[in-house]
Amino acid sequence: MSDTGNEIQSKDFIRTIIDEDLASGRYDKVHTRFPPEPNGYLHIGHAKAICLNFGIAKDYNGMCNLRMDDTNPAKESMEYVEAIKDNIRWLGFDWEDRLYFASDNYEKLYELAVKLIKMGKAFVCDLTADQIREYRGTLTEPGKNSPFRERTVEENLDLFEKMRNGEFEDGSRVLRAKIDMTSPNLNMRDPVLYRVLRANHYRTGDKWKIYPMYDWTHGSCDSFEGITHSICTLEFEDHRPLYEWFLQTLGLYMPRQVEFARLNLTYTVMSKRKLLTLVNEKAVTGWDDPRMPTLSGLRRRGFTPASIRDFCSRIGVSKVNSVVDYAFLEFCLREDLNKTANRVMAVLDPLKVVIENYPDDLVEYMDAENNPEDPNAGTRKIPFTKELFIERDDFMIDPPKKYFRLSPGKEIRLKNGYYIKCVDYKTDADGKVVEVICSYDPATKGGWSEDGRMVKGTSHWVSASKGIKIEVRLYDKLFLKPDPEVVGENERFTDFINPDSIKILSDCIAEPSLAEAKAGDNFQFLRQGYFVADKDGTKEKPVFNRSVGLKDSWAKTQSKNQ
RNA sequence: UGUCGGUUAGUGUAAUGGUAGCACCUUGGAUUCUGGUUCCAAUUGCGAGGGUUCGAGUCCUUCACCGACAGCCA
């Protein structure tokens, strides 16, 4: 997408291929498709594929279909179909009326298989799964022909029909293409087209007793839909000869398959199987847990569609296996939210401040800019009172050098409020500071002094009497290890889950305007980070998730000095 | 002892055979009513050898290393 208008992207290798295909006349249009299997939720890796397929269609004035690659009844469901559609729409893409299901083509696929049998190019095989594996040979040794390979066309036709009719046990027979058991490419060693599986399919119910395999189905569907460029991930590179064999043998229209490297991110896992494990083992609260790399999770974490699209465009496309820094994803979010998120003030770890020379019952409504990066964002009023809360981190009795915040005798600015100077403080029996007593300078209203007096520090604050209570959920990386997928002997990726990936702060105070926040609203909590209103919140107790912290150079210098 | 694909700063990604760039990260500095933003600057790179060429990241060649593939999953 070029909705930020400033992407200067050199052409990736896929677009270069498309240019060539268009120039040579191999194709006269561009038609892509995004073909998920509805057996899990979409993740950021799928977003890369979605942006690629829909993005290419848009760039070339073509179309992109959405197709459910549903050929395995055991794992698929309507819940996933709906979630997938919802996620893609949210990301900002539109398949218009072109939502297809591989399962809608089962009959057509069956007829094509019959045709293959009649051509003598497919046969019913009675070998068990184990035997098929044995006959297949190994990576370095050729396989050998199935004893059932030379059945007559008539017998194959009869057997295949009986498979369809449910006359055989699950797994007892398969239909196989007759290609070459000595091929160095294992995919060409008489691959299975159909297996007997008398399972209930989420769309076709119990109509089918046999189900087609991926290779057989995928290319055919691409062909039916008139796809020009079938873009898929690297692991299908070895399948391309088979993809082409099917279409060529049947004399069907042939799209061009192009493979690219899937996305990997540091500190996260990116396979549906592993994500399912996290959900099933309750390591997270669900597919939309804000720590999940799923689109639903990222959405709830506060990621915007624009930030994810931007990320996908910036990481580029290539055939090199690579791992992108999680920090890069965070950068893209900050980049977007800095321009779009309204600033508000919330105190996560409240410390009471009493301004001794401020009138007891006075409430002043101070003007505050909603977003300094966006002149159109407007302003709002924030109540200022004698008793306030500031961040506990913003006060120190005995501060180190270069500490610009509040400490005894020091003056700071309260953002959009007044300059205040610390005159005293109170501690409890343990020596913990419980209250800071300050004086304010009435001439600095709005946070500005006419006399040119400079203050080095500026703090955010919330009125003690007018502020509202909120719950804040601080999220961190789900895994401690940059590469949790790399495990040793006797290790599981779940061994590396970060026990502190969520910290719940239930006594935070925020300015009153936050009571109006709706789930999904993004904010910048001044000086702290970007937060998003969560669906768990109520009017009485809004809940906010931290999407990503602000860059914190002070924290950095501090940790360096330790 | 197989087939296919790959190798450019820490990370990701560019470069009709013609000065190896960009972004993130990191580090300095300037600006700032957010220790944010913005701006400036710096460090760090063509897997190795040989060849062709006036000139090679790019072409040829040898080698090394990495990844995928032996589901009736996709």
Side-chain angles (χ1 to χ4, degrees):
Chain A
M1 296 287 281
S2 55
D3 49 2
T4 54
N6 57 2
E7 271 120 303
I8 15 82
Q9 43 177 240
S10 47
K11 202 151 281 188
D12 57 68
F13 84 99
I14 297 180
R15 277 172 242 251
T16 302
I17 284 173
I18 292 174
D19 284 348
E20 289 163 3
D21 286 348
L22 256 18
S24 72
R26 177 166 174 175
Y27 300 104
D28 57 4
K29 58 167 185 173
V30 173
H31 201 330
T32 57
R33 100 269 94 114
F34 175 63
E37 183 193 9
N39 67 342
Y41 278 62
L42 261 27
H43 53 63
I44 183 77
H46 293 111
K48 177 179 181 181
I50 293 167
C51 290
L52 236 195
N53 279 293
F54 281 93
I56 283 174
K58 188 186 173 208
D59 289 355
Y60 289 87
N61 238 303
M63 291 186 285
C64 180
N65 300 349
L66 172 58
R67 179 170 77 236
M68 298 299 159
D69 225 339
D70 53 355
T71 56
N72 186 358
K75 295 183 176 173
E76 297 152 5
S77 81
M78 212 58 202
E79 179 204 347
Y80 293 133
V81 170
E82 290 308 321
I84 287 168
K85 287 160 65 180
D86 188 55
N87 285 161
I88 298 173
R89 268 192 295 257
W90 174 75
L91 239 200
F93 297 103
D94 184 8
W95 54 89
E96 298 174 314
D97 59 348
R98 298 179 312 280
L99 167 62
Y100 300 118
F101 291 83
S103 51
D104 282 342
N105 291 319
Y106 282 176
E107 192 65 49
K108 211 165 165 181
L109 252 13
Y110 179 84
E111 285 159 21
L112 242 26
V114 168
K115 183 175 171 188
L116 223 40
I117 292 172
K118 287 179 177 166
M119 293 171 75
K121 299 286 190 184
F123 65 100
V124 172
C125 183
D126 301 359
L127 253 26
T128 64
D130 283 343
Q131 289 170 320
I132 287 183
R133 190 179 317 119
E134 282 167 33
Y135 276 75
R136 184 154 34 224
T138 68
L139 293 175
T140 51
E141 305 156 36
K144 50 182 196 259
N145 287 165
S146 160
F148 304 97
R149 202 174 197 258
E150 299 309 326
R151 286 216 251 236
T152 64
V153 168
E154 291 66 34
E155 191 182 0
N156 281 321
L157 251 16
D158 177 58
L159 254 15
F160 188 45
E161 192 176 341
K162 285 179 172 149
M163 281 170 63
R164 174 182 183 159
N165 293 339
E167 295 179 36
F168 303 125
E169 294 295 313
D170 280 10
S172 60
R173 283 185 167 83
V174 293
L175 182 73
R176 294 225 252 166
K178 199 187 285 188
I179 307 180
D180 178 7
M181 289 306 290
T182 67
S183 170
N185 180 343
L186 297 251
N187 294 119
M188 301 298 273
R189 321 243 262 228
D190 292 4
V192 172
L193 271 54
Y194 278 94
R195 72 275 208 189
V196 175
L197 223 190
R198 290 172 299 180
N200 206 272
H201 185 274
Y202 77 104
R203 290 187 80 241
T204 59
D206 59 2
K207 177 176 180 194
W208 290 87
K209 316 298 178 193
I210 55 174
Y211 288 93
M213 300 291 290
Y214 165 84
D215 289 300
W216 171 239
T217 310
H218 195 87
S220 303
C221 291
D222 277 350
S223 180
F224 300 158
E225 293 175 27
I227 299 304
T228 56
H229 298 269
S230 180
I231 299 165
C232 62
T233 43
L234 249 31
E235 69 268 27
F236 294 107
E237 217 153 18
D238 291 344
H239 295 240
R240 193 179 344 118
L242 179 54
Y243 182 106
E244 291 171 351
W245 185 91
F246 282 138
L247 298 177
Q248 210 157 56
T249 302
L250 290 163
L252 297 175
Y253 161 79
M254 199 190 308
R256 154 125 71 154
Q257 176 178 304
V258 182
E259 310 86 8
F260 71 96
R262 59 167 8 125
L263 168 67
N264 295 293
L265 263 186
T266 54
Y267 298 101
T268 115
V269 294
M270 201 78 90
S271 83
K272 283 192 201 169
R273 208 199 90 244
K274 291 197 177 77
L275 294 175
L276 217 207
T277 302
L278 292 173
V279 173
N280 287 342
E281 296 183 2
K282 309 262 190 249
V284 295
T285 58
W287 286 103
D288 70 343
D289 186 293
R291 291 163 292 183
M292 291 282 271
T294 52
L295 292 180
S296 302
L298 291 168
R299 178 180 186 175
R300 199 169 166 199
R301 178 71 170 263
F303 278 80
T304 58
S307 68
I308 293 176
R309 276 187 254 122
D310 184 40
F311 172 75
C312 290
S313 120
R314 285 173 186 258
I315 55 174
V317 192
S318 73
K319 300 192 70 146
V320 189
N321 290 299
S322 59
V323 186
V324 176
D325 280 340
Y326 187 82
F328 196 58
L329 217 207
E330 292 187 324
F331 162 80
C332 292
L333 212 218
R334 288 198 196 97
E335 183 87 337
D336 183 35
L337 258 20
N338 177 49
K339 289 187 228 108
T340 58
N342 281 169
R343 273 60 170 172
V344 293
M345 293 200 283
V347 175
L348 304 193
D349 189 5
L351 173 62
K352 182 182 268 188
V353 170
V354 176
I355 302 171
E356 56 177 11
N357 59 335
Y358 194 83
D360 284 353
D361 300 318
L362 179 61
V363 179
E364 287 186 280
Y365 286 87
M366 318 299 276
D367 285 313
E369 241 181 336
N370 284 328
N371 185 350
E373 304 295 321
D374 178 7
N376 299 318
T379 61
R380 69 188 185 290
K381 301 278 189 186
I382 306 172
F384 189 94
T385 54
K386 184 184 182 77
E387 294 197 354
L388 310 165
F389 288 110
I390 63 167
E391 209 68 57
R392 185 163 287 279
D393 280 354
D394 286 345
F395 176 78
M396 278 185 101
I397 298 170
D398 190 19
K401 279 208 161 44
K402 298 263 206 103
Y403 183 83
F404 304 147
R405 288 112 100 139
L406 201 60
S407 56
K410 288 284 167 48
E411 186 176 51
I412 62 160
R413 167 172 39 236
L414 291 180
K415 176 90 180 171
N416 298 125
Y418 287 100
Y419 283 13
I420 59 169
K421 185 183 280 185
C422 172
V423 297
D424 201 2
Y425 60 90
K426 293 180 186 169
T427 56
D428 63 12
D430 302 325
K432 185 183 176 193
V433 179
V434 293
E435 186 178 311
V436 179
I437 297 157
C438 295
S439 64
Y440 86 116
D441 178 354
T444 57
K445 184 170 182 181
W448 186 252
S449 173
E450 290 291 335
D451 63 10
R453 164 172 34 128
M454 297 301 289
V455 286
K456 201 75 162 122
T458 300
S459 282
H460 56 100
W461 52 275
V462 173
S463 158
S465 56
K466 298 289 183 182
I468 61 168
K469 280 216 163 196
I470 62 170
E471 174 178 314
V472 167
R473 297 174 181 173
L474 264 20
Y475 290 103
D476 199 355
K477 298 179 169 71
L478 223 204
F479 291 93
L480 297 165
K481 212 162 148 284
D483 51 352
E485 313 233 19
V486 178
V487 298
E489 201 81 10
N490 304 323
E491 284 180 335
R492 250 164 55 95
F493 77 99
T494 47
D495 297 344
F496 308 111
I497 289 177
N498 177 6
D500 300 316
S501 60
I502 178 170
K503 193 179 296 174
I504 297 180
L505 307 177
S506 45
D507 295 309
C508 308
I509 314 277
E511 62 171 79
S513 69
L514 246 29
E516 311 302 323
K518 293 188 300 294
D521 287 350
N522 297 96
F523 298 94
Q524 184 194 103
F525 285 7
L526 222 60
R527 301 208 302 136
Q528 309 201 85
Y530 294 99
F531 292 75
V532 64
D534 190 82
K535 62 179 183 182
D536 284 350
T538 62
K539 193 85 182 170
E540 291 68 42
K541 185 80 175 263
V543 172
F544 293 88
N545 300 326
R546 182 172 66 189
S547 312
V548 61
L550 248 29
K551 274 201 205 157
D552 191 346
S553 52
W554 169 239
K556 213 170 265 176
T557 57
Q558 262 183 317
S559 61
K560 256 188 304 185
N561 293 338
Q562 272 167 14

